[in-house]
Structure formats: C-alpha cells, structure tokens
Amino acid sequence: YRRLGMDAEAYQALNTFRDMSGGNLSAYPMSASMLRQLGLRDEEGRTLEAWANVAPQSPDARQALADYYRRAGDLQQAAAQFQAVTALAPGNISAYAQLGNIYAQMGQHADAQAQYLAALELRPDSVNIRQQLANSYRVSGDLQYALDTYQSIIDLNPGSREAMNACLLYTSP
C-alpha cells in the first residue's frame, strides 16, 4: 500500500488486521510498527498505549511505549515507562541505560548515575554504559568520579576507540 501511495487504504487494512487478531497481543507491536512506517505517529502512540493497557505486566509493551515517548520528546512519560520496565524486568540492562539517558537529558544527573550504576551491576564490562556514566559525572561537576570512570574504561580495554576517547576526556580540562 505505502509504495503505491495508498496510506488511507493501508491504515484501513491495519485496523482490519488488528480487529481480526482478537486477543493476539503480537498484533499491537506489528500494527504500531506499520503505523510508524506510514508516518502516523499519533496512531502509533495510541496503539502502543492500548497494548500497554491490555498487557500492563508486559515489559515489551512498556519498553515499546517508552521508546515511542522518547522519540516524541515526552521524556517524563518515557521515564515513567522505563521505570515500569525496570520493575517488571529487573535484568533488562537496556531499560536502565535508557532511563539513565533520559534522566541525563532532563538534567537529573544523580538519577541518571543511579540508573547507569544499576546497569553496570548487571553488565560490569559495558564500556558504553561506563562512558555514559563518566559523561554524566563530568557534566554534573563530579570530576573525580568522572576521572575514575574514564580510567576504568581505559583499564577494561586499553587499545579501544572508547579508551582513546576516554584518554582525551580524561586529560582535557
């Protein structure tokens, strides 16, 4: 449909698909994905909210909704949904890191750092999460913690691009 420029027909077909799917929860993310591709963001959001409402204990539904809110720029709602994901799936490293990123964007660095540290408890060898943590420390003025975290990146993987970047940040004012 989309290739033929028939967005209205594609939208109607999606509604029919969703209606015919009955209790099949996989219809929600598939519909949301198609709506996103069609550029129907409001409909995508309503579909993801409906999924989260019919499956409130689904970390997948909550994470998809959190990602939608993040893309839409609604950081408060995104944070609330990522918090739900961490409660429903405490081993979800990505949810902690994403929640940390959102808090950092909101300027809530202590909260961001707590989420990055929670993610690092689950994956202590993650250079990417350490980089995010170090950056949060640096931006918030906790320079000693930033330096220590940059040093840990260098220690984890001395020859990596991340270690080189950490060295540059480690030595710059």
Side-chain angles (χ1 to χ4, degrees):
Y1 287 118
R2 183 157 167 75
R3 278 182 273 152
L4 299 174
M6 299 160 65
D7 289 352
E9 288 86 356
Y11 180 67
Q12 182 59 39
L14 270 173
N15 285 333
T16 302
F17 167 74
R18 200 170 43 223
D19 293 342
M20 291 175 56
S21 296
N24 183 352
L25 294 179
S26 65
Y28 290 98
M30 290 188 331
S31 292
S33 175
M34 290 179 206
L35 289 165
R36 182 176 179 201
Q37 290 176 13
L38 290 170
L40 301 170
R41 290 187 179 193
D42 291 342
E43 285 298 317
E44 175 194 7
R46 283 191 281 278
T47 299
L48 292 171
E49 287 168 351
W51 183 25
N53 287 335
V54 297
Q57 298 301 311
S58 169
D60 293 335
R62 297 289 179 180
Q63 186 146 0
L65 187 55
D67 287 334
Y68 166 79
Y69 285 135
R70 182 184 45 77
R71 286 190 312 275
D74 190 341
L75 299 181
Q76 292 289 338
Q77 286 290 340
Q81 293 302 319
F82 277 121
Q83 287 169 347
V85 174
T86 61
L88 293 167
N92 187 327
I93 298 162
S94 173
Y96 288 106
Q98 289 296 330
L99 185 53
N101 292 342
I102 289 169
Y103 283 142
Q105 284 180 301
M106 293 171 24
Q108 298 175 4
H109 292 285
D111 292 330
Q113 293 154 11
Q115 297 307 313
Y116 295 141
L117 289 169
L120 284 171
E121 283 183 30
L122 297 169
R123 186 172 293 151
D125 61 341
S126 174
V127 172
N128 185 36
I129 295 169
R130 284 179 189 277
Q131 185 74 44
Q132 292 167 318
L133 176 62
N135 290 340
S136 181
Y137 283 140
R138 184 173 52 83
V139 169
S140 68
D142 293 328
L143 298 182
Q144 188 58 53
Y145 284 120
L147 292 174
D148 292 346
T149 306
Y150 287 130
Q151 183 62 53
S152 73
I153 294 168
I154 295 165
D155 294 344
L156 273 174
N157 197 355
S160 71
R161 181 176 55 86
E162 292 86 357
M164 297 303 226
N165 289 339
C167 283
L168 291 173
L169 291 169
Y170 187 74
T171 58
S172 65

